[in-house]
Amino acid sequence: MNSIKVGLLGIGTVGGGTFQVLRRNQEDIRGRAGRGIEITMVADLDVERARSIVGDACTVVSDARQVIANPDIDIVVELIGGYGVARSLVLEAIAAGKHVVTANKALLAVHGSEIFAAAREKGVMVAFEAAVAGGIPIIKALREGLTANRIEWIAGIINGTTNFILSEMRGKGLDFATVLKEAQRLGYAEADPTFDIEGVDAAHKATIMSAIAFGIPVQFDRAHVEGITQLQAADIKYAEQLGYRIKLLGIARRRQDVGGIELRVHPTLIPANRLIANVEGAMNAVLVQADAVGTTLYYGKGAGAEPTASAVIADLVDITRLATADPDHRVPHLAFQPEAMNNTPILPMDQVQTAFYLRLRVADQAGVLSRITTILAEHQISIDAVLQRESAEGESQTDLIILTHDTQEGRMTRALQQMQALETVLAPIVALRKEELA
Ligand SMILES: NC(=O)c1ccc[n+]([C@@H]2O[C@H](COP(=O)([O-])OP(=O)(O)OC[C@H]3O[C@@H](n4cnc5c(N)ncnc54)[C@H](O)[C@@H]3O)[C@@H](O)[C@H]2O)c1
Ligand SMILES: N[C@@H](CCO)C(=O)O
Ligand code: NA
């Protein structure tokens, strides 16, 4: 059979990796896919650089629309990124009857519903394994491997840049800006690195996973998003003393009790002895709790040229195998058949159930602790542990660290307001969420 013909839109980090891996492993890939997979056309604004990567192996153009318009191209791979031009190009490729592969989580988390609906209408596939946790086959696992299960929650380290920053800061004592530059140099960071450090990229990925896990539409605008820029070294140190590590987690959790779904990204204390707490550097890991299988953990490289290319090419092979299948017999984009999707709401943060780590800078005098514990008790928040740093000779203030049991976030917000108003609380209280992940 003839090779399937692929057009790349954008040949930067991921596009370059895809070209190299496809060429290097072409015989094995042909053996698995049943026919060859060949990149025959590439569009990139930087034509010279694109040509230096692909040589004479394929046609290079600057206008992506020339690839979409080419009747010989079967699959369009969008590796440009962003919500803007990428959205138009993907929709145009679908309208032209092309299958699409994309690594663009931003695009799918925001415009996924529109894109998947257009693809269904046209009977084409939109594949996106590279969009979540890069090379880890988590989309495949959630959508196919775990298909028997009712998924209860997902908690993942799904941004390599921030995990790299947290690891290097904790392990080597390096400062934030230096480590971020290194992550950019290694090709982990997004074009706009604020997406990484402010938690937006992780929220894009958590949003996509929540849709697949729970059969709800992709709703990035309902996700709670917090990054690592406000995190202080003192809290990383105190967490460690208490047996915890701080990780930026993306969490999607089904809440049977209130009929909703938690969707949130924030720095989180997790017990240091959990496998996921020991995922370091740019590595990603996703922990999934499901009713039949129990807990499963997926670990690997979530960013970088070849790990991400691995996922892009897996999608190309899937499409190659299924291109001639009846569209109704393919795996649905979001795991559930469109008519089986539901509208379970994403909960506001004040209904989220979680434990807390609190750090209060307090006056070192009698009665302070009891006033604070009284406020927590009044809001029905129970305390798990207290750590009071010994104040040095002559010091008039000290740090008080409190770990709580699970509570409703709304209660904690109200308790924090009251504690902050105490005269003996001398600085803004640090409140971080804590998850046992068991
Ligand atoms: N880098 C990673 O590790 C990684 C991992 C997973 C997913 N992703 C996603 O993959 C996509 C690509 O990321 P990247 O790191 O390869 O980005 P990149 O910036 O390295 O590459 C993008 C390429 O697209 C080209 N381009 C920009 N606008 C264009 C246009 N209008 N027409 C044609 N070409 C255009 C640029 O010249 C560049 O070569 C993004 O959606 C990103 O979020 C990246
Ligand atoms: N910027 C992303 C790339 C992979 O999606 C990260 O650091 O994980
Ligand atoms: Na993946």
Side-chain angles (χ1 to χ4, degrees):
M1 211 190 275
N2 285 343
S3 293
I4 199 150
K5 304 283 189 291
V6 177
L8 282 193
L9 311 184
I11 186 159
T13 302
V14 181
T18 301
F19 186 83
Q20 303 297 352
V21 175
L22 200 51
R23 187 164 61 180
R24 188 168 75 233
N25 296 340
Q26 59 181 317
E27 283 316 311
D28 281 350
I29 291 167
R30 181 200 303 276
R32 291 173 179 139
R35 51 196 286 212
I37 297 175
E38 203 186 337
I39 296 173
T40 57
M41 198 169 180
V42 171
D44 199 293
L45 296 181
D46 191 340
V47 172
E48 284 316 305
R49 202 173 43 82
R51 222 175 245 126
S52 73
I53 297 168
V54 302
D56 298 328
C58 54
T59 310
V60 177
V61 295
S62 63
D63 179 6
R65 293 195 163 86
Q66 275 184 260
V67 176
I68 295 170
N70 183 340
D72 295 335
I73 298 290
D74 305 297
I75 308 175
V76 169
V77 182
E78 183 276 305
L79 299 173
I80 292 172
Y83 313 106
V85 67
R87 172 177 163 270
S88 315
L89 293 173
V90 163
L91 288 171
E92 285 169 34
I94 292 169
K98 314 286 189 195
H99 301 292
V100 172
V101 174
T102 179
N104 190 339
K105 52 268 167 160
L107 177 67
L108 294 179
V110 176
H111 299 293
S113 298
E114 178 189 24
I115 288 167
F116 296 132
R120 266 197 314 278
E121 181 108 329
K122 245 353 224 187
V124 296
M125 289 173 267
V126 174
F128 52 94
E129 183 59 78
V132 183
I136 304 176
I138 188 64
I139 300 299
K140 192 83 158 179
L142 290 172
R143 211 161 59 171
E144 299 177 51
L146 299 180
T147 199
N149 290 264
R150 189 170 172 84
I151 293 176
E152 287 153 9
W153 53 260
I154 298 174
I157 296 172
I158 45 181
N159 182 266
T161 301
T162 44
N163 204 53
F164 182 70
I165 293 173
L166 291 177
S167 301
E168 297 283 289
M169 284 175 71
R170 193 181 65 81
K172 299 187 185 158
L174 294 173
D175 69 274
F176 188 94
T178 307
V179 192
L180 173 59
K181 277 211 191 79
E182 180 65 358
Q184 287 176 291
R185 193 186 66 76
L186 292 166
Y188 304 145
E190 293 304 299
D192 177 356
T194 59
F195 272 32
D196 296 296
I197 61 180
E198 298 294 0
V200 176
D201 177 72
H204 287 146
K205 295 164 179 164
T207 299
I208 295 171
M209 289 197 288
S210 73
I212 294 175
F214 306 126
I216 57 171
V218 280
Q219 300 163 75
F220 172 69
D221 57 340
R222 301 300 314 277
H224 172 83
V225 188
E226 258 174 73
I228 62 166
T229 52
Q230 305 300 315
L231 204 56
Q232 297 177 41
D235 298 303
I236 298 177
K237 199 183 74 201
Y238 284 131
E240 197 138 31
Q241 285 173 18
L242 290 157
Y244 291 87
R245 292 266 168 87
I246 300 180
K247 294 289 185 188
L248 184 71
L249 287 191
I251 297 174
R253 173 181 283 153
R254 188 195 295 274
R255 284 280 302 284
Q256 207 71 41
D257 54 340
V258 286
I261 285 159
E262 297 180 0
L263 179 57
R264 49 194 169 99
V265 170
H266 48 71
T268 316
L269 275 78
I270 50 180
N273 60 4
R274 297 263 183 278
L275 278 175
I276 195 168
N278 294 282
V279 170
E280 300 287 21
M283 301 305 276
N284 280 196
V286 183
L287 195 57
V288 182
Q289 178 70 35
D291 68 340
V293 71
T295 311
T296 52
L297 177 66
Y298 308 83
Y299 169 81
K301 289 189 177 151
E306 293 209 357
T308 312
S310 166
V312 169
I313 297 168
D315 282 344
L316 290 174
V317 171
D318 265 357
I319 293 177
T320 303
R321 287 171 177 153
L322 289 169
T324 54
D326 167 359
D328 288 339
H329 293 130
R330 296 178 188 146
V331 181
H333 291 115
L334 293 175
F336 288 79
Q337 301 294 343
E339 64 279 8
M341 302 276 288
N342 67 84
N343 278 316
T344 309
I346 291 170
L347 296 169
M349 279 306 277
D350 65 1
Q351 285 193 50
V352 157
Q353 195 83 19
T354 184
F356 280 87
Y357 157 102
L358 307 176
R359 174 162 63 88
L360 300 95
R361 189 81 185 147
V362 294
D364 197 4
Q365 54 187 243
V368 174
L369 180 60
S370 85
R371 265 189 299 263
I372 288 163
T373 55
T374 303
I375 293 174
L376 289 171
E378 280 166 6
H379 291 87
Q380 292 149 29
I381 298 168
S382 71
I383 293 173
D384 180 28
V386 176
L387 175 78
Q388 183 158 5
R389 192 180 63 88
E390 294 248 333
S391 45
E393 186 79 22
E395 251 185 336
S396 60
Q397 38 181 274
T398 189
D399 278 339
L400 183 64
I401 316 294
I402 299 175
L403 299 183
T404 76
H405 288 294
D406 272 0
T407 184
Q408 210 184 328
E409 178 142 337
R411 285 188 186 152
M412 180 55 82
T413 307
R414 291 188 288 279
L416 282 169
Q417 276 164 1
Q418 286 184 17
M419 292 188 288
Q420 192 68 71
L422 294 174
E423 266 175 27
T424 44
V425 173
L426 306 173
I429 301 171
V430 174
L432 297 169
R433 300 175 189 87
K434 174 172 97 64
E435 298 284 347
E436 291 301 317
L437 301 181

